[in-house]
Amino acid sequence: MYSPDGSSFAFLLDDNTISVFATSNWERTWISSGVSHYVRSIAFSSNGDRIVSGCYDCTVRVWDIATGDCLYIFIGHANDIYSVAYSPHGNVVASKCGDRIIRLWDLDTGDCRYVITECGYINDMAFSTKEDNIAFDGQDCGVRIWDVASGECRSILIGHTTRIQTDQESIASIAYSPQSDQIVSGGRDRAVRLWDVDTGENRHTMIGHTKDVKIVMFSPKGDHIASVGEDNTVRLWNVGSGTSRKLSNHHSSNVLSTVYSSKRNQIASSALEQTIQLWDAVTGIHSRTLIGHSDLVYNISYSPQEDRLASCSADKTVRLWDVESGACLLILTGHTNWVFDVAFSPLGNQVASSSYDGTVRLWNVKTGECHHVMTGDNRDAVWVVTYSPQGNQVASRSFDGTVRLWDVETGACQRTLTGHPGVIKWIEYSPDGNQIASASDDATVRLWDVKTGECTHIFIGHQKGATRVVYSPRGDQVASASRTEKTVRLWDVESGECRHTLVGHNKDIFAIAYSPSGKLITTWSDEGEAKLWDMETGNCRWTLNYDDLSVSNHGLATYNFVWMSPDADSFVTGGLDGCVRVWDVVEEGDECRVRMRWRTPNGQLGVEDACVQDVKGLSHLDKRLLKQRGATDGPNFRLREASKKVMSMTSVVSKLKSSSLGTTEMGSSSTLPAISSRSTQENKPNKRRIQRHLKTRRYIL
């Protein structure tokens, strides 16, 4: 959690310690000691100089961050401490535990002021900003307001109901308004209620969530209320009228592609759930959702003028979007299978697309007319398509292990680059367009002359397959990554010598990118480990490991990456956790540090309150995948939240998201819509090849 002024961040570790980091440089400033039991809850004081902690040994401790000393140890609870809270003025600490008792501790004397009993199961408590009251939920579904000075109950706000008989009460979250004259509460009855503190009147009962309300909070001005529900939605309520609008929960699944618009200072991202999201690159505010595809969106690309966006999807179409209005301008149809890649020509008058149907198509962006359909000899799946810097040529990479160069004017195949005995994982044009670099699972990187089609260099050094290759901005250097070898090698284009071998990653490397100046290179590995390297020395200048910095809560691979500025002071990443993140690079003398500026909300693609029993057309694999997402075998079963990440490119998940899945009341029967089996389709995509392709394909950045 952040300190009130945002200068510090504190979190709990598995070794029963509390760590505090300075947000300016993310260096650890303090770590607690002397606690032998699990720490359940922590809270900052209002000025951020102290931390209170609640522990499983039934104690409450107050710590001085500057000295690291434990100032107080409060003993009195007979059960584990579940939550603690600091009063705004900093002289009272509240603690609640499993024995359903709240204790108020006086920090001036070190004594327990009051013991509040017979509270029932307590989910949340909050101090008023004036510190004269503390509110908490309790038995009979009511919100209780207690006077901190006298220890007496001032009022009980009754209105919430419970839908089920459980040990837990109906209210899940409460919060005071900034003026302390109102209280908002949210509960398991799916309602958000606004109360007048003085009169106890229920001003508004706000209905909109379809499942339990988990969190409620006031805006800083107190004119709006935000609520978060188990229906995976966020709603913003007007305090005066009680009306709301639903905020998009944005990506709820793996981010497949991220692109940056320098002219608009905008980031676009696509994911498994068929939508494209647009974000303000500076503030991180979500600006628009582009809806239209009926299956997962593989890739997106800005036009050179950055006024249009092209997207390709497993629904076999390419779409062109107006970035300003969000309108879909054209739907380009013709491919007979999944479309994997899309790219604008340098002039922006043409779009190229590649598909599992073995073809590359060139489209007119004004009319939507398909100019050329280009097919190789064996019609194998074409993963990647990219224009040369001059725009007169298109290169495509196919599963047959070849790279083909196509003439944009005639659609004829000019060259077929063969020589790799293994599958080609990555291709890239040199900045001047005279060369193409290719990386293969035969552990070699090759440079090809575009005019003659000859292989000019073979870089040998990787012990395992090379999975990525990128040119430096000046084109004098090539960087290649071996995913499973966990190394990156820097090659001199003229001599073919290996300048540096970058070693240090402990997990598979998925993404590499030069900074626009060519002085730095960033590498990202599985489980979110990131490193920033100096190109001159080959030394690692910065490392981000999420075991050390759990505030980002990545824990998943970053699959795409793009620098935002020519001076290499910020970049964007997209990962399998469904988040897009913007990072700032800060150079301090010889040291280089990177900190996260903002991140988008994350979510998990889940199928809740859905049943696969007696559904026709689902294979055994489909049913297993759906149950991993949260579905169940029986129609009358309370479903737990889906939490497993399933890295499978089966179309059944995206089809279920586009269908109206039953989000039924608990206890009622719900059945998934019938989904036709893919086993009867011709030219059936191979799922294992799609999974491998997700880890190796070239993203348009």
Side-chain angles (χ1 to χ4, degrees):
M1 67 179 301
Y2 281 98
S3 62
D5 61 359
S7 62
S8 300
F9 191 94
F11 56 92
L12 307 175
L13 299 177
D14 290 338
D15 59 359
N16 307 324
T17 61
I18 308 166
S19 289
V20 178
F21 283 78
T23 56
S24 58
N25 53 19
W26 289 112
E27 289 186 350
R28 184 155 52 189
T29 58
W30 175 74
I31 185 170
S32 66
S33 61
V35 180
S36 59
H37 291 74
Y38 177 66
V39 180
R40 177 71 178 263
S41 176
I42 57 175
F44 275 100
S45 62
S46 58
N47 57 8
D49 62 343
R50 294 182 179 183
I51 280 183
V52 59
S53 62
C55 185
Y56 265 26
D57 62 359
C58 309
T59 64
V60 178
R61 298 170 187 250
V62 179
W63 308 84
D64 186 291
I65 296 178
T67 64
D69 296 336
C70 180
L71 304 179
Y72 300 99
I73 301 178
F74 297 134
I75 300 175
H77 285 291
N79 212 321
D80 304 339
I81 309 297
Y82 282 0
S83 181
V84 291
Y86 240 110
S87 66
H89 295 170
N91 60 346
V92 178
V93 165
S95 59
K96 65 174 183 178
C97 70
D99 58 11
R100 305 186 181 188
I101 290 176
I102 292 179
R103 292 177 181 263
L104 301 183
W105 308 90
D106 192 308
L107 295 185
D108 294 329
T109 64
D111 298 329
C112 178
R113 279 192 184 181
Y114 301 109
V115 178
I116 305 173
T117 59
E118 299 180 0
C119 303
Y121 190 95
I122 306 167
N123 284 307
D124 200 11
M125 60 181 180
F127 277 100
S128 66
T129 56
K130 298 177 182 179
E131 202 180 85
D132 55 345
N133 295 327
I134 184 172
F136 57 90
D137 64 288
Q139 59 190 3
D140 61 33
C141 305
V143 177
R144 283 167 166 73
I145 301 175
W146 284 73
D147 187 283
V148 173
S150 65
E152 296 179 353
C153 181
R154 290 183 52 183
S155 59
I156 302 176
L157 312 179
I158 301 296
H160 284 284
T161 60
T162 182
R163 295 183 293 111
I164 50 178
Q165 296 298 322
T166 65
D167 190 41
Q168 298 184 355
E169 301 298 340
S170 177
I171 301 171
S173 179
I174 56 177
Y176 271 96
S177 67
Q179 298 77 20
S180 295
D181 59 341
Q182 297 181 101
I183 287 179
V184 62
S185 59
R188 294 182 175 85
D189 57 359
R190 307 175 183 178
V192 177
R193 294 177 182 268
L194 183 64
W195 310 87
D196 186 286
V197 172
D198 293 330
T199 65
E201 177 189 358
N202 185 188
R203 292 184 175 178
H204 294 297
T205 299
M206 297 169 279
I207 305 297
H209 287 287
T210 59
K211 291 189 178 181
D212 299 355
V213 179
K214 299 165 61 177
I215 300 173
V216 291
M217 64 188 72
F218 274 95
S219 64
K221 294 182 179 180
D223 55 349
H224 286 88
I225 294 169
S227 61
V228 182
E230 289 188 358
D231 54 5
N232 295 326
T233 64
V234 178
R235 288 184 174 270
L236 194 63
W237 307 86
N238 186 289
V239 170
S241 64
T243 58
S244 77
R245 60 187 178 96
K246 177 182 174 182
L247 304 183
S248 170
N249 59 350
H250 311 311
H251 290 311
S252 60
S253 58
N254 306 353
V255 175
L256 297 181
S257 181
T258 53
V259 289
Y260 173 68
S261 167
S262 58
K263 295 179 181 178
R264 293 179 173 273
N265 224 0
Q266 186 181 71
I267 295 170
S269 59
S270 66
L272 291 180
E273 78 276 7
Q274 312 161 17
T275 63
I276 302 165
Q277 309 291 350
L278 303 183
W279 318 83
D280 186 287
V282 178
T283 64
I285 297 175
H286 177 260
S287 57
R288 194 177 299 278
T289 300
L290 308 182
I291 301 175
H293 284 293
S294 60
D295 212 325
L296 61 92
V297 181
Y298 274 115
N299 217 338
I300 51 179
S301 175
Y302 275 107
S303 66
Q305 298 78 17
E306 299 181 4
D307 59 341
R308 295 186 180 186
L309 194 71
S311 60
C312 60
S313 169
D315 63 7
K316 309 175 188 177
T317 68
V318 174
R319 288 177 179 253
L320 299 183
W321 309 84
D322 183 275
V323 176
E324 189 67 33
S325 65
C328 181
L329 303 176
L330 288 172
I331 303 176
L332 311 180
T333 60
H335 284 293
T336 59
N337 217 314
W338 301 352
V339 186
F340 289 130
D341 204 1
V342 63
F344 272 99
S345 64
L347 295 179
N349 60 340
Q350 196 177 67
V351 163
S353 59
S354 61
S355 170
Y356 200 95
D357 62 11
T359 67
V360 174
R361 290 176 179 259
L362 302 183
W363 311 84
N364 186 301
V365 298
K366 292 184 178 180
T367 64
E369 178 186 358
C370 181
H371 288 169
H372 300 293
V373 179
M374 301 175 290
T375 307
D377 297 333
N378 56 5
R379 293 184 66 88
D380 210 337
V382 184
W383 298 120
V384 171
V385 62
T386 180
Y387 278 92
S388 65
Q390 295 79 14
N392 60 341
Q393 191 180 72
V394 166
S396 63
R397 174 177 67 84
S398 176
F399 195 76
D400 62 5
T402 64
V403 176
R404 286 180 167 82
L405 308 181
W406 308 89
D407 186 279
V408 171
E409 292 295 327
T410 64
C413 181
Q414 295 176 322
R415 304 279 187 275
T416 300
L417 311 182
T418 59
H420 281 293
V423 176
I424 298 175
K425 300 294 187 180
W426 206 269
I427 60 172
E428 182 162 314
Y429 273 100
S430 61
D432 60 10
N434 295 327
Q435 288 182 328
I436 282 182
S438 59
S440 170
D441 61 6
D442 60 14
T444 67
V445 175
R446 295 177 182 242
L447 301 186
W448 309 83
D449 187 285
V450 170
K451 294 181 179 179
T452 64
E454 296 179 356
C455 179
T456 58
H457 288 293
I458 301 177
F459 299 147
I460 299 176
H462 288 294
Q463 301 302 310
K464 296 183 180 181
T467 51
R468 295 230 174 175
V469 60
V470 292
Y471 274 95
S472 65
R474 293 186 298 177
D476 60 338
Q477 192 179 77
V478 164
S480 62
S482 175
R483 181 170 66 88
T484 55
E485 189 185 57
K486 307 177 184 64
T487 63
V488 174
R489 294 177 181 265
L490 309 182
W491 310 89
D492 187 281
V493 170
E494 292 296 328
S495 65
E497 296 180 355
C498 180
R499 292 182 178 178
H500 299 291
T501 300
L502 311 182
V503 180
H505 279 290
N506 298 316
K507 300 292 183 179
D508 295 353
I509 298 173
F510 284 103
I512 58 174
Y514 277 96
S515 66
S517 64
K519 297 180 180 180
L520 301 172
I521 192 170
T522 304
T523 57
W524 292 77
S525 72
D526 196 5
E527 296 189 0
E529 184 185 50
K531 291 181 180 291
L532 199 63
W533 308 82
D534 187 291
M535 289 299 91
E536 294 297 328
T537 64
N539 295 330
C540 179
R541 300 190 61 186
W542 167 80
T543 299
L544 176 63
N545 189 306
Y546 292 104
D547 292 335
D548 299 330
L549 189 58
S550 62
V551 297
S552 296
N553 200 24
H554 245 344
L556 291 167
T558 295
Y559 272 116
N560 42 89
F561 176 102
V562 58
W563 286 92
M564 290 174 58
S565 57
D567 51 359
D569 61 358
S570 55
F571 55 85
V572 187
T573 61
L576 289 184
D577 57 356
C579 283
V580 177
R581 289 169 169 81
V582 172
W583 307 81
D584 290 322
V585 180
V586 180
E587 296 203 41
E588 302 170 348
D590 296 334
E591 294 187 1
C592 182
R593 302 190 182 280
V594 180
R595 60 172 177 259
M596 187 175 64
R597 185 193 306 173
W598 58 262
R599 54 170 282 181
T600 64
N602 68 321
Q604 297 175 347
L605 185 60
V607 182
E608 298 185 44
D609 294 334
C611 171
V612 296
Q613 187 182 51
D614 300 326
V615 177
K616 298 179 180 180
L618 291 180
S619 67
H620 176 73
L621 174 62
D622 292 337
K623 291 184 178 180
R624 181 166 62 86
L625 287 170
L626 290 173
K627 285 190 283 185
Q628 285 176 318
R629 296 283 184 178
T632 181
D633 273 329
N636 298 308
F637 182 76
R638 176 64 176 171
L639 296 172
R640 55 181 170 81
E641 292 185 7
S643 61
K644 249 186 177 180
K645 292 284 185 182
V646 183
M647 292 177 55
S648 175
M649 291 306 304
T650 175
S651 64
V652 67
V653 174
S654 56
K655 283 192 175 183
L656 285 168
K657 290 292 287 183
S658 62
S659 303
S660 297
L661 279 181
T663 54
T664 61
E665 297 285 344
M666 187 185 60
S668 64
S669 176
S670 62
T671 306
L672 291 173
I675 300 175
S676 60
S677 174
R678 282 191 169 270
S679 61
T680 59
Q681 297 182 6
E682 297 181 0
N683 201 16
K684 172 186 174 183
N686 184 283
K687 292 176 182 176
R688 290 186 178 179
R689 289 168 67 179
I690 302 302
Q691 291 173 345
R692 291 198 301 268
H693 168 59
L694 257 189
K695 299 180 180 179
T696 58
R697 73 182 182 88
R698 179 187 183 280
Y699 290 86
I700 302 297
L701 297 179

